[in-house]
Amino acid sequence: MECDILDSLEELGYDGPLLEEQLLLRAAEGGLSSPEFMDLCRWLTSRLKPLYDLGESISSGPDDMDSLKTEMSSLLKELHCPYEEIVSGILTGSSQNRKDHLKLVLFLSSELQAAQILRSRCDLNKKQDKTPVYQDLYAICETLKLPQPRGQDTAGLFSEVKDKIKEVIKDLPSGDIGNSVLKNSLSSEQWEKLHNINTALSSEYECRRRMLIKRLDVTVQSFGWSDRAKVKMDSIAKVYQPKRHTLRPQTSVGMAELLAAREDLCNMVKTSSGSSREKTACAINKVLMGRVPDRGGRPSEIEAPPPEMPRWQERKDGGGRGGWGGGRGG
């Protein structure tokens, strides 16, 4: 249970002292009388309150135990906590074991995760209600620090965007942007073909990236097979999981990247060229390997394996075993 709690707290962004398992268990032993345990509960409920619009909160501390028990019990009832024995035990003072206190933290952290998921889905649905064109215009205005597009005509909005871009370009060094790769205007049919090509390439890229991410997961998982690593799985997960969550199989390359591409993307520089080697050269490149054993494996030198069954041959007259009268001589 404590491992699930620690994982949930990390995902929620908690950075307090109870991220250590031993400290968490020690605080759970004290329960409501532990300041660290109450700080954690207060941190969780303070983030739950705006998401669920809660009326109850925790303002008392261990020095005012009666008020604290009342506030905690009322809060859990408002959240419809399924552990009724814990709710009544907190109010009467009979809930004093570590397991009940861990269940309380697990319930609050799970509720906060669920509330954040529901809020993100609600925000996502609001964004999806708007057209992709509006989302692109909103992103452009946000990047250029222009007012949000609200009911203004498209021509006027693009004029503001154009003027703002010219103003930003003036502050850049000359030649910093470069020339565009796409120099000619394309017809609607050509744009449609480009879109289909990009869709096919994106699908292929996603398939390859999923395979590489799966290989990475399996490789990291194999590290835990040794006895020395089994006791450090929490430390490995703490380092690996945040980096793993940033990896996405989907690509974000679209038509906008084609329009923004500059000519410097077309420069094909070999990895062995002088300009590249200036940054990649190191001392190990000067180490020469001596003679190594011949590992073989050349197809021209490999003999065919022997046949599993003898070749079929036609039966000859007089050959083979004798019939019924072919017994041994006397």
Side-chain angles (χ1 to χ4, degrees):
M1 184 189 304
E2 50 269 21
C3 294
D4 296 333
I5 294 175
L6 292 174
D7 292 340
S8 299
L9 293 178
E10 287 182 4
E11 294 177 358
L12 292 171
Y14 174 75
D15 56 355
L18 299 189
L19 281 178
E20 297 293 334
E21 183 175 351
Q22 296 301 325
L23 296 179
L24 176 63
L25 295 177
R26 193 181 309 163
E29 286 285 353
L32 301 185
S33 60
S34 171
E36 293 81 7
F37 182 83
M38 289 312 306
D39 288 341
L40 175 59
C41 293
R42 197 173 291 110
W43 184 87
L44 292 170
T45 54
S46 64
R47 281 153 178 77
L48 270 171
K49 188 172 183 178
L51 296 175
Y52 279 159
D53 195 17
L54 298 176
E56 301 291 339
S57 61
I58 301 176
S59 57
S60 304
D63 52 344
D64 189 3
M65 188 59 65
D66 292 336
S67 300
L68 179 59
K69 289 179 180 178
T70 303
E71 292 174 356
M72 182 65 75
S73 178
S74 301
L75 176 67
L76 295 177
K77 288 180 180 178
E78 186 176 4
L79 290 172
H80 303 284
C81 179
Y83 305 119
E84 296 181 358
E85 67 280 0
I86 297 180
V87 178
S88 59
I90 289 176
L91 189 59
T92 58
S94 60
S95 177
Q96 299 292 335
N97 61 79
R98 182 176 69 182
K99 185 176 180 181
D100 288 346
H101 296 148
L102 289 176
K103 282 184 178 180
L104 174 60
V105 176
L106 182 60
F107 168 72
L108 292 176
S109 60
S110 301
E111 283 294 307
L112 180 54
Q113 284 181 313
Q116 290 180 347
I117 291 173
L118 292 175
R119 174 59 62 87
S120 63
R121 286 180 178 177
C122 182
D123 295 340
L124 181 62
N125 291 335
K126 290 181 179 179
K127 290 182 179 180
Q128 288 178 347
D129 291 341
K130 300 176 181 178
T131 62
V133 176
Y134 180 86
Q135 295 178 15
D136 293 338
L137 290 176
Y138 180 84
I140 292 172
C141 294
E142 186 178 15
T143 303
L144 297 176
K145 298 180 180 180
L146 294 174
Q148 296 183 8
R150 293 179 178 176
Q152 53 188 131
D153 60 315
T154 307
L157 177 61
F158 276 102
S159 297
E160 293 183 13
V161 171
K162 184 178 180 181
D163 295 338
K164 184 65 176 180
I165 291 176
K166 288 182 178 180
E167 180 183 345
V168 173
I169 291 177
K170 288 180 181 179
D171 298 334
L172 297 176
S174 59
D176 189 65
I177 296 182
N179 298 322
S180 175
V181 172
L182 187 62
K183 302 182 183 300
N184 300 325
S185 300
L186 302 180
S187 62
S188 58
E189 293 80 7
Q190 290 174 325
W191 279 116
E192 185 177 358
K193 289 182 179 179
L194 275 178
H195 177 72
N196 295 335
I197 292 173
N198 181 68
T199 302
L201 292 176
S202 299
S203 177
E204 177 70 16
Y205 175 82
E206 181 178 350
C207 179
R208 292 171 179 266
R209 190 168 173 83
R210 286 186 184 277
M211 179 187 65
L212 291 176
I213 293 176
K214 188 63 177 179
R215 284 184 177 180
L216 176 62
D217 291 337
V218 172
T219 302
V220 174
Q221 186 180 8
S222 66
F223 293 157
W225 294 346
S226 64
D227 295 334
R228 292 178 58 189
K230 288 180 180 178
V231 297
K232 298 182 179 180
M233 289 305 297
D234 291 339
S235 301
I236 295 175
K238 187 176 182 180
V239 175
Y240 173 66
Q241 290 299 332
K243 298 182 182 297
R244 171 63 179 83
H245 290 320
T246 60
L247 300 177
R248 296 288 183 270
Q250 296 82 10
T251 177
S252 58
V253 177
M255 295 297 104
E257 281 70 23
L258 174 61
L259 293 172
R262 303 289 102 180
E263 287 182 346
D264 56 354
L265 292 178
C266 301
N267 297 333
M268 304 296 291
V269 180
K270 294 183 178 180
T271 56
S272 59
S273 64
S275 59
S276 297
R277 292 298 295 156
E278 289 178 358
K279 300 179 181 180
T280 59
C282 58
I284 197 172
N285 298 137
K286 300 178 181 179
V287 178
L288 299 178
M289 296 180 61
R291 293 183 58 85
V292 295
D294 186 3
R295 299 173 59 187
R298 288 176 286 274
S300 60
E301 299 178 2
I302 299 177
E303 296 182 0
E308 298 181 1
M309 295 288 291
R311 289 187 177 183
W312 179 84
Q313 295 181 353
E314 187 177 356
R315 180 179 296 178
K316 299 180 180 179
D317 296 339
R321 296 183 179 180
W324 290 102
R328 292 185 179 183

